[in-house]
Amino acid sequence: MDRLIELLPRLWTAAFETVYMVGIAMVIGGLLGLLLGLALYLTRSGNLLQNKAVFAVLNLLVNTFRPIPFIILLAAVQPLARLVIGTGIGNNAAIFGLVVGSMFAIGRIVEQNLLTVRPGVIEAARSVGAGNLRIIFTVLIPEALGPLILGYTFVFIAITDMSAVAGLIGGGGLGNFAVQYGYRLFDPTVTWAAVLIIIVLVQLTQVIGNSLARKVLRR
Amino acid sequence: MSVISLRDVTKTYPPRSRGAAVTAAVDNVSLDIEAGEIHGIIGYSGAGKSTLVRLINALERPTSGSVTVQDRDLTALPEKALRQERRGIGMIFQQFNLFESKTVWGNIEFPLKAAGVPASEHQRRISELLHFVGLVEQAHAYPEQLSGGQKQRVGIARALATNPSILLADEATSALDPETTRDVLRLLKRVNEDLGVTIVVITHEMEVIRQIAHRVSVMEKGRIVEQGDVFDVFAAPQAAATRQLTVGVVSAPPGEDELVSLRQRHPGRVVSFSFVDGGSAQAQIFVALSEAGLRFELVHGGIDEIRGRTFGTLTLAITGGDASIDSVLAQLADVATITEAH
């Protein structure tokens, strides 16, 4: 316990790092995933921009990257991180990995949620002469907003989970803290302190996500 | 002048599985719809009517043939120009297809925004439409708070927002109960009569056609098998599909089986009188029979009225002298079509 008190400043830093990594990865990965999910949905046969070839390529891409265990993907995309953001180690390189790792999952979740919108509603929007952009942003996304918020809440928690292995490439965060100061130094109290903060973080996210979704769905 | 004109239009879909035959949802159809009419298109499900109606606002493109709406050949237009055309063609749906994320107000405003109508005019136009369909109180309700009939009224208001001159109704009352159906049909009638909108009504219910349509096209397997004035088609259906669809809605002469049992139960000669547009035919028949001193009994039949014209079949069991019956029947030959069961 004394040791934990001694480590508190580091624990807070680690918590901040987790929020930082997950937050930024969520914004960037969330946007890229939204675009990917939209592209998957729109190019699907029978939809607004149906295109067999593009859909097949995107689909293959998602199916290729999604099953790769994150700890392996993080190592595998390190050279790419160097190329794109100029470094292969640290929190920012970990964010790069999180973005790559999450965008494919988000893409799939977005696609699935958009598919719940009844095609008739899109047809009604087309029938009054609305253009594709208007349909996407003022009909398609609003109609699927409730499930989308729940989907993103789910993803936020998944990214928090993924961020725990950031230590592999020299990133920080609660996962790294728990491994470094708890597990490796045989101090379960320290490990559990990190776990506790993660639980609070996840619960908080879920509560916010649920209440937002409830508000949008009006129930 | 026809406002919608389809010429040799075919729409085929690729086969579902390799080697299966190509299916033509619409097969070489030509159709002219006049400005100001309510034109019914009836057929069983799978007859191709939903595809046909979507060719009119180019939600579907024909595989071959041409679709001309208000003198513009839609088949030649790119998607962007079609959007402009669609603003002049409203559409309502069986499942209403309202935007669940928007209020009644938001639903009706959507076409106005899409058409680039200045925001300052939205208020006036939307409240005008809400008054017309009778939903002023529900302006800020969400679709899930409305009944089926109210939802379809919103659908109609949304379809009319941009002042289209054509309204396409795709099974618009099929999800509604009979009473609500009548309300919605009355509203469509007002759309036609008060606003002068040409309406194309797709349905599988002959009753809908009978209540509001002026002319009707009967579809079967992608083709139009019969077409004409609603009264004529009802009074004397030609195609087998039409006869099937009118069973139960209009009184047809008794079938073979019915005749057999009628003859068993009733003495005398069983005679059917069919008349079309017969304002005084009934009276003439009864008077002639009475004057000849014949006894008769009405054993089967009924009278229908469509748009103020009557038609129907009356089957009578007549008793009396054979010679006087024959002379009366001869006398009535030009009043009704007479068939006698032997």
Side-chain angles (χ1 to χ4, degrees), chain A:
Chain A
M1 205 62 201
D2 292 347
R3 184 138 167 73
L4 181 61
I5 290 165
E6 202 177 296
L7 282 172
L8 263 183
R10 284 176 196 271
L11 180 62
W12 295 131
T13 309
F16 171 77
E17 283 171 334
T18 292
V19 172
Y20 167 78
M21 286 191 293
V22 174
I24 295 186
M26 186 74 194
V27 171
I28 302 173
L31 274 174
L32 292 176
L34 180 67
L35 292 177
L36 184 62
L38 273 171
L40 277 166
Y41 170 83
L42 294 169
T43 57
R44 182 179 274 264
S45 102
N47 287 356
L48 284 179
L49 304 170
Q50 60 171 323
N51 186 320
K52 269 201 176 114
V54 174
F55 178 79
V57 169
L58 292 176
N59 201 34
L60 183 71
L61 207 65
V62 170
N63 286 345
T64 308
F65 278 90
R66 225 158 58 92
I68 302 175
F70 184 64
I71 196 163
I72 299 173
L73 185 76
L74 189 61
V77 299
Q78 207 180 21
L80 196 62
R82 266 192 213 105
L83 209 69
V84 178
I85 61 169
T87 177
I89 53 166
N91 287 336
N92 289 340
I95 290 174
F96 184 84
L98 288 172
V99 167
V100 174
S102 64
M103 63 181 272
F104 295 102
I106 297 174
R108 195 58 97 192
I109 287 172
V110 168
E111 180 204 17
Q112 281 165 1
N113 287 327
L114 294 180
L115 284 171
T116 64
V117 176
R118 281 189 300 118
V121 175
I122 305 300
E123 187 177 44
R126 287 182 68 208
S127 79
V128 300
N132 289 346
L133 279 181
R134 179 180 299 278
I135 294 176
I136 291 166
F137 290 108
T138 69
V139 177
L140 183 62
I141 292 178
E143 290 290 303
L145 197 57
L148 277 176
I149 288 172
L150 292 176
Y152 271 95
T153 307
F154 177 85
V155 164
F156 185 93
I157 291 162
I159 296 180
T160 308
D161 174 8
M162 285 154 68
S163 75
V165 299
L168 180 77
I169 57 165
L174 288 165
N176 183 54
F177 177 87
V179 170
Q180 206 170 337
Y181 300 104
Y183 178 71
R184 293 223 175 98
L185 299 178
F186 305 102
D187 193 339
T189 320
V190 170
T191 309
W192 276 99
V195 169
L196 196 71
I197 295 182
I198 288 181
I199 290 175
V200 169
L201 203 63
V202 166
Q203 291 297 333
L204 207 66
T205 312
Q206 191 69 55
V207 166
I208 294 171
N210 285 350
S211 77
L212 271 178
R214 211 176 303 127
K215 204 167 167 192
V216 166
L217 291 168
R218 297 183 295 281
R219 52 175 95 103

Side-chain angles (χ1 to χ4, degrees), chain B residues 273 275 277-292 296 303 310 314 316 328 331-332 335-336:
Chain B
F273 300 85
F275 44 88
D277 216 354
S280 60
Q282 275 185 75
Q284 287 181 52
I285 292 165
F286 294 144
V287 167
L289 288 167
S290 308
E291 280 177 352
F296 59 92
I303 307 293
T310 55
L314 297 176
L316 307 177
V328 173
Q331 195 187 320
L332 291 170
V335 175

Side-chain angles (χ1 to χ4, degrees), chain A residues 118 120-121 123-132 134-135 138-139 142-143 217-218, chain B residues 54 59 83 86-87 89 93 95 97-102 110-111 113-114 142 144 158:
Chain A
R118 281 189 300 118
V121 175
E123 187 177 44
R126 287 182 68 208
S127 79
V128 300
N132 289 346
R134 179 180 299 278
I135 294 176
T138 69
V139 177
E143 290 290 303
L217 291 168
R218 297 183 295 281
Chain B
R54 280 163 178 75
L59 287 178
R83 281 178 204 147
R86 288 192 193 116
R87 286 164 201 162
I89 311 170
F93 306 85
Q95 296 303 329
N97 294 346
L98 300 182
F99 308 127
E100 304 284 331
S101 57
K102 301 184 201 305
F110 182 80
K113 285 180 172 169
Y142 283 91
E144 79 249 18
R158 180 178 66 180

Side-chain angles (χ1 to χ4, degrees), chain B residues 226-227 229-239 242-243 246 250 275-276 306 311-312:
Chain B
E226 186 163 356
Q227 189 181 71
D229 188 90
V230 170
F231 181 84
D232 298 332
V233 171
F234 266 96
Q238 304 298 315
T242 319
R243 257 176 267 147
T246 51
V250 297
F275 44 88
V276 172
I306 290 176
F311 68 97

Side-chain angles (χ1 to χ4, degrees), chain B residues 3-4 33-37 165-168 192 196-200:
Chain B
V3 65
I4 299 166
I33 294 172
E34 307 298 318
E37 76 168 312
S165 50
I166 298 168
L167 179 66
L168 309 175
N192 174 253
V197 173
T198 306
I199 303 182
V200 181

